[in-house]
Every structure is written in C-alpha cells, then in structure tokens.
Amino acid sequence: MEGAETGGFSPYLSAKFITILKRYYSEKIQETRTAQQYTYVFNALCDFVQCDFLDITQEIIKAYFNSRSSVMKSTDYSLSVLRAVARYMDENADTLEIRPEYLNLFSVVDVTFPDMQFRPEDLPELSSIDRVLAYFKSEGDMTGFLSCAMVLRSTLTTNELVSLKRDMLLQDADGNFGIRLRLTDHAYRFMKLPEDIAALIEQYAFQRTDNQPYFFLNKKGKAASARALQNRLHEACTACGVKPFTYNDLRIVSQALMIKDGAPLDKVAEHINVKTMSWFFRYDRVMKSLSDSPVDYTHLKVVW
C-alpha cells in the first residue's frame, strides 16, 4: 500500500493526521480501493464538522452520526472504519506523539453490531494466550497477567486499561462487580466484571502497598502507559515462543467468544460501548448492566 494513490484529502485534515492515516494504510490495508474508501469516510466526517480528526470531540461525533441515523448500513461501515483507525492511534499513541483518547470518542454512538473486522488466522489461539498467562505467573508479573485477563474476559480497550483508577471499581447491591467508565463529564457506563476477574483484582490489591490512584503501574510505580503494557505483552510472547499478539487481538477474541457462546449481538455491542471488597466500593442500587451481561455467556475462567 505504501505510495498507493488514495485520492485527495479533505482540506480540514492536518498534515500530521494525513501522515498517521497513510501509515495505517501501509501497515493494515492491502488494496488501494479500500484505502480510498477509508479516505472518503474521514473526508465526509471532517468536511461535515469542519475540523481536523485530531481535534474531534464526543459531541461532534454524536452530532455527526445523529445526522446520518437514517442510513444505517453506511453508518455502520463509517463507524467501523473510524473506530479501526482510532484504535490504531490509541495503541500507537506514544510513537505517533498523540494522546490515547480517540477510540473512546465513539462510545457515544449506538452500534448495531460489534466491530468485528479481522482475519481469524491473525488471532491468537487460547493455547497461546494460556502460555503467555503462565509466563506472567512464573515471573510473578501480576500487572501483565491481570491486564491480559481483564481484556480477554471483559473486552476492555487499551485506553480503558491505562485509564483505570481504584475508585472506578464497584460492587452493586446484588453483589455484582463492575467498572464505572466515563463517557463524558456527566455520563458514565457500567461494565460487568466476571467473578474470576474480581478475585484476581483482590489478589492484585493485596500486592499493592502504594497510594497511587491508577490501577496499573509501570516498574517505576507510576501510571502505566499503553505503550508500556503493549511492550510488556510483546516481551512475554517472545519469551515463551508465541507469535506476538496485542491487547486488541485479545479484545476481538473476547468478543468472538461471547458471540460464539450465545450472547445477543446487541448486548455485545452495548457492552463494548463497599469497601469490604478492598478496591470495590458498595453501590446502593442494582444495575442491569452488571446483572445481565455478555460476560456471563463465556465459558471461560482465568485463575492466578
């Protein structure tokens, strides 16, 4: 794809973002026609809102897709394209010198189906994932182990992983465990955590003696970056002779397992958009999103 003609870019797209987009094309796209379609999607969005994609906000995204709600097939494709590139940007944020905050911008848009554009042969097998988890355990690396387990069991994004703080964990009045994820300054969504992950978090809590608010820390005791976690996972894959995979690969496997085991597609799509329990705070009401969740359909359990 490098050097392929991808058509003209919107005048609202900055030189920096066009460089990012061309890099994505060269690494991820094989056909020129596909790259042209991607360019059209970004041009349409940025022409409509009259700003660069790097300056996009949740309010802008919501307004744009609300204006297109009657064209569902086109809307689903555009959203899939935008989310795919946003995910790439977040996972390579340090290298691209941007903040890893773009994928979450699209959580305000209702989707009909999960973003499942992938090649099955590129995804890691459960046996390979198990070897990596076993390696993390042998190294006593609870951060590596738990970060992978949380993505595999709960479909968290890398950005959500590194944004996690202690006070985002909760338990509702029915005993369900979950995470409160911020959508906007005044809106949240709740994601259920399976009991095996809740148990792992308890173990992780016992290892922590610091007062840092962030959930995952790097080796210097500071908030872990997306790049640090990705590097940690890559090193583990290499160390145990497994073809390197990413947190996003784990996320896709997680979605696929939920669907395979019978979780309704609309619930999977929505899922992706108490101090007595250490880091879990009691929530004084029962939340539907924590009692009826796609994670309940997956016949999988992760233990340390």
Side-chain angles (χ1 to χ4, degrees):
M1 273 302 306
E2 188 170 2
E5 180 60 45
T6 57
F9 291 100
S10 165
Y12 293 103
L13 293 178
S14 66
K16 181 172 183 177
F17 179 71
I18 291 174
T19 299
I20 292 173
L21 204 53
K22 287 182 176 180
R23 173 173 166 170
Y24 177 87
Y25 293 164
S26 67
E27 294 181 15
K28 301 291 186 179
I29 294 179
Q30 297 179 348
E31 297 183 5
T32 299
R33 185 167 179 267
T34 303
Q36 291 172 339
Q37 292 172 335
Y38 272 51
T39 298
Y40 175 82
V41 169
F42 280 94
N43 283 351
L45 168 63
C46 294
D47 284 344
F48 178 85
V49 301
Q50 298 184 7
C51 77
D52 182 31
F53 186 75
L54 294 176
D55 299 323
I56 220 80
T57 65
Q58 283 188 330
E59 290 73 19
I60 289 174
I61 292 295
K62 190 170 184 178
Y64 176 70
F65 280 98
N66 282 345
S67 73
R68 296 165 55 86
S69 58
S70 61
V71 194
M72 186 54 68
K73 182 176 180 181
S74 174
T75 297
D76 282 349
Y77 177 77
S78 296
L79 183 59
S80 179
V81 168
L82 294 167
R83 290 181 71 235
V85 176
R87 181 181 298 110
Y88 172 83
M89 291 167 65
D90 285 358
E91 292 177 349
N92 297 277
D94 286 354
T95 302
L96 299 175
E97 298 182 344
I98 57 176
R99 293 176 60 85
E101 59 187 7
Y102 290 94
L103 184 57
N104 190 51
L105 296 177
F106 297 93
S107 60
V108 296
V109 183
D110 293 328
V111 294
T112 306
F113 298 101
D115 186 8
M116 294 290 286
Q117 290 191 342
F118 62 90
R119 295 193 305 170
E121 61 269 24
D122 290 339
L123 297 180
E125 297 181 355
L126 289 178
S127 58
S128 296
I129 297 171
D130 188 56
R131 287 174 63 182
V132 170
L133 290 176
Y135 172 81
F136 279 134
K137 183 176 180 179
S138 69
E139 295 292 306
D141 187 347
M142 193 66 174
T143 294
F145 186 97
L146 183 54
S147 60
C148 288
M150 290 182 74
V151 174
L152 182 63
R153 295 290 279 119
S154 302
T155 69
L156 290 168
T157 66
T158 312
N159 186 42
E160 288 169 341
L161 278 181
V162 298
S163 300
L164 279 179
K165 294 183 178 180
R166 299 187 188 206
D167 60 6
M168 295 167 68
L169 302 173
L170 55 90
Q171 183 183 26
D172 75 6
D174 262 1
N176 300 302
F177 301 104
I179 306 174
R180 186 179 68 165
L181 298 170
R182 181 185 293 274
L183 295 178
T184 67
D185 288 341
H186 306 289
Y188 300 88
R189 72 182 181 96
F190 297 91
M191 175 179 284
K192 184 173 184 178
L193 288 174
E195 290 186 1
D196 56 334
I197 296 301
L200 287 171
I201 290 173
E202 281 293 280
Q203 290 180 258
Y204 181 59
F206 289 135
Q207 295 184 11
R208 291 275 296 273
T209 58
D210 58 88
N211 294 318
Q212 282 278 6
Y214 281 96
F215 188 82
F216 288 115
L217 306 180
N218 59 27
K219 295 178 181 179
K220 295 182 179 180
K222 304 296 184 181
S225 67
R227 182 178 182 182
L229 287 184
Q230 293 285 4
N231 287 343
R232 208 166 189 156
L233 177 55
H234 189 277
E235 291 170 1
C237 290
T238 302
C240 57
V242 167
K243 179 183 176 182
F245 55 85
T246 66
Y247 284 98
N248 186 53
D249 293 331
L250 290 177
R251 187 169 186 263
I252 294 173
V253 170
S254 177
Q255 295 174 42
L257 287 172
M258 290 177 184
I259 294 172
K260 177 178 178 293
D261 290 333
L265 289 177
D266 59 340
K267 287 188 177 297
V268 176
E270 182 181 359
H271 181 75
I272 298 172
N273 232 346
V274 117
K275 299 181 182 180
T276 57
M277 281 298 296
S278 198
W279 288 1
F280 290 96
F281 292 80
R282 289 290 297 182
Y283 216 71
D284 59 4
R285 64 186 175 91
V286 177
M287 291 169 292
K288 183 178 179 181
S289 51
L290 298 191
S291 61
D292 182 16
S293 172
V295 302
D296 299 323
Y297 292 81
T298 306
H299 303 297
L300 191 70
K301 185 175 182 179
V302 181
V303 295
W304 175 256

